[in-house]
Amino acid sequence: MLKKAVNQGLIVLGIVFILAMIINSITPVEMFSGSAQISYVAFFIVYVGFMYMKNSKNSKS
Protein backbone atom coordinates (compact mmCIF):
# COMPACT_ATOMS: atom_id res chain seq x y z
CA MET A 1 0.00 0.00 0.00
CA LEU A 2 2.77 2.43 0.85
CA LYS A 3 4.58 1.65 -2.40
CA LYS A 4 1.40 2.35 -4.38
CA ALA A 5 0.88 5.66 -2.53
CA VAL A 6 4.51 6.71 -3.13
CA ASN A 7 4.24 5.84 -6.84
CA GLN A 8 1.04 7.87 -7.17
CA GLY A 9 2.68 10.74 -5.31
CA LEU A 10 5.68 10.70 -7.64
CA ILE A 11 3.41 10.80 -10.69
CA VAL A 12 1.46 13.77 -9.31
CA LEU A 13 4.69 15.53 -8.30
CA GLY A 14 5.99 15.03 -11.84
CA ILE A 15 2.85 16.63 -13.23
CA VAL A 16 3.22 19.53 -10.79
CA PHE A 17 6.85 20.05 -11.88
CA ILE A 18 5.87 20.04 -15.55
CA LEU A 19 3.18 22.64 -14.85
CA ALA A 20 5.65 24.67 -12.79
CA MET A 21 8.14 24.69 -15.67
CA ILE A 22 5.44 25.87 -18.08
CA ILE A 23 4.25 28.58 -15.69
CA ASN A 24 7.86 29.62 -15.00
CA SER A 25 8.57 30.05 -18.72
CA ILE A 26 5.42 32.14 -19.27
CA THR A 27 5.47 34.35 -16.16
CA PRO A 28 8.34 35.69 -14.04
CA VAL A 29 7.11 33.81 -10.94
CA GLU A 30 9.87 32.03 -9.01
CA MET A 31 8.60 28.45 -9.05
CA PHE A 32 11.94 26.89 -8.11
CA SER A 33 13.14 29.08 -5.24
CA GLY A 34 14.12 27.62 -1.87
CA SER A 35 10.71 28.16 -0.29
CA ALA A 36 8.99 26.68 -3.34
CA GLN A 37 11.11 23.53 -3.06
CA ILE A 38 10.07 23.15 0.58
CA SER A 39 6.45 23.52 -0.51
CA TYR A 40 6.87 20.77 -3.12
CA VAL A 41 8.33 18.39 -0.51
CA ALA A 42 5.55 19.22 1.97
CA PHE A 43 2.93 18.67 -0.73
CA PHE A 44 4.47 15.30 -1.62
CA ILE A 45 4.51 14.12 2.02
CA VAL A 46 0.91 15.21 2.64
CA TYR A 47 -0.29 13.68 -0.65
CA VAL A 48 1.41 10.36 0.04
CA GLY A 49 -0.04 10.32 3.56
CA PHE A 50 -3.57 10.91 2.31
CA MET A 51 -3.24 8.32 -0.45
CA TYR A 52 -1.85 5.78 2.03
CA MET A 53 -4.80 6.35 4.37
CA LYS A 54 -7.24 6.10 1.44
CA ASN A 55 -5.67 2.88 0.17
CA SER A 56 -5.57 1.32 3.64
CA LYS A 57 -9.23 2.23 4.23
CA ASN A 58 -10.22 0.71 0.87
CA SER A 59 -8.32 -2.51 1.55
CA LYS A 60 -10.11 -3.04 4.88
CA SER A 61 -13.54 -2.84 3.22
Side-chain angles (χ1 to χ4, degrees):
M1 281 186 290
L2 183 61
K3 184 177 180 181
K4 181 179 178 182
V6 170
N7 285 339
Q8 290 174 342
L10 288 173
I11 290 170
V12 170
L13 193 62
I15 293 169
V16 168
F17 273 135
I18 290 170
L19 290 174
M21 285 187 282
I22 292 169
I23 292 170
N24 201 33
S25 65
I26 295 172
T27 63
V29 178
E30 287 295 324
M31 302 293 285
F32 297 105
S33 64
S35 60
Q37 292 174 0
I38 293 170
S39 300
Y40 292 135
V41 171
F43 170 77
F44 177 73
I45 292 170
V46 169
Y47 184 84
V48 168
F50 278 125
M51 291 308 294
Y52 179 74
M53 289 188 297
K54 179 184 169 196
N55 290 338
S56 65
K57 187 183 295 186
N58 287 342
S59 67
K60 290 179 183 177
S61 299

